[in-house]
Amino acid sequence: MDGTTKKCLQVNACKVRKGIIEGVYNAKSGHPGGSLSIADLLTYLYFEKMNVNSSDPEDPDRDRFVLSKGHCAPALYAVLALKGYFSDKELKSLRHIGAMLQGHPCIHTKGIDMSSGSLGQGISAACGMALAGKLDGKSYKVYTVLGDGEIEEGQVWEAAMFASHKAVVDNNGLQIDGPISEVCSPEPITDKFAAFGWHVITMDAHDFDSIEKAFAEAETISGKPVAIIQKSIKGKGVSFMENQVSWHGSAPNKEQYEQAMKELDAQLKELED
């Protein structure tokens, strides 16, 4: 990846993180930790990889994206706003009654391909989209993001037996009840997907060179689904949120909001200088 492209992605990812904090703070609830950990991935998908266009969100030939871990909607909303699907002013109304942006993705929102939130179901929906594309002779790709805690759901593995698309597992090691290793460990994640017939790739969730390399490899695979296991840091980008399970489902107060935005503004300034 050339330096200019990488810097543009890093700048956009930082803006996405600011959007996440803005939304969760104004909602006074939400899931900033897991949203921050997928900010780089979603930035790469929407600004570099996926065939999507905010001016034609219903294009039948567009690539599809399903956020299976739907509680991390603040990340998806922030990237969609930055991509131009709707105004970033909508982020401040996250989870408000009557607002466009609900606590979990809703298919009625511009740019959302699947309502999700009940964990384990998103990957099944993505499989259905992929099958429909094959039956219709379409060439679009389907991407889905799951959480490492989410893959404790049995439905995920039923879908894995059936799958014909690309899945990314956000492996940040934490879920709402604590470390996945202590709650109901799905490890070894790579071996499990391989056993279900998937081609498995690992990558650094916060290194755009690593992300690009992983997706480039995925493009060379045919005849089987691809699972990308991204090792990430929950709460990435905000010092006091990083690797803290307490930020799975809680919002920052005013002081914490100001500190988080100050840190992200400093990162953005450094990138833009």
Side-chain angles (χ1 to χ4, degrees), residues 52-60 62 85 110:
V52 293
N53 188 337
S54 61
S55 64
D56 190 11
E58 299 298 323
D59 179 3
R62 74 190 186 281
Y85 283 87
K110 190 177 180 181

Side-chain angles (χ1 to χ4, degrees), residues 106-207:
C106 176
I107 201 167
H108 297 300
T109 302
K110 190 177 180 181
I112 303 293
D113 291 314
M114 177 63 197
S115 300
S116 61
S118 183
L119 295 180
Q121 294 183 359
I123 187 173
S124 295
C127 287
M129 292 178 185
L131 177 60
K134 282 193 170 185
L135 294 175
D136 291 341
K138 299 289 188 179
S139 60
Y140 65 73
K141 293 181 172 60
V142 183
Y143 300 85
T144 184
V145 173
L146 302 96
D148 52 7
E150 178 185 8
I151 62 174
E152 294 165 11
E153 297 276 358
Q155 182 175 348
V156 169
W157 301 106
E158 294 174 31
M161 287 189 288
F162 173 83
S164 55
H165 68 298
K166 294 181 177 64
V168 180
V169 176
D170 184 36
N171 183 202
N172 59 40
L174 298 171
Q175 62 186 96
I176 193 168
D177 293 320
I180 60 169
S181 60
E182 297 176 8
V183 179
C184 185
S185 178
E187 297 287 358
I189 298 172
T190 54
D191 292 351
K192 281 189 171 67
F193 274 98
F196 278 82
W198 292 56
H199 179 83
V200 183
I201 303 168
T202 59
M203 74 181 187
D204 181 340
H206 310 304
D207 180 337

Side-chain angles (χ1 to χ4, degrees), residues 87-100:
S87 170
D88 59 3
K89 293 182 175 62
E90 295 288 345
L91 299 177
K92 293 186 177 182
S93 65
L94 173 66
R95 289 183 170 229
H96 286 59
I97 294 175
M100 176 198 300

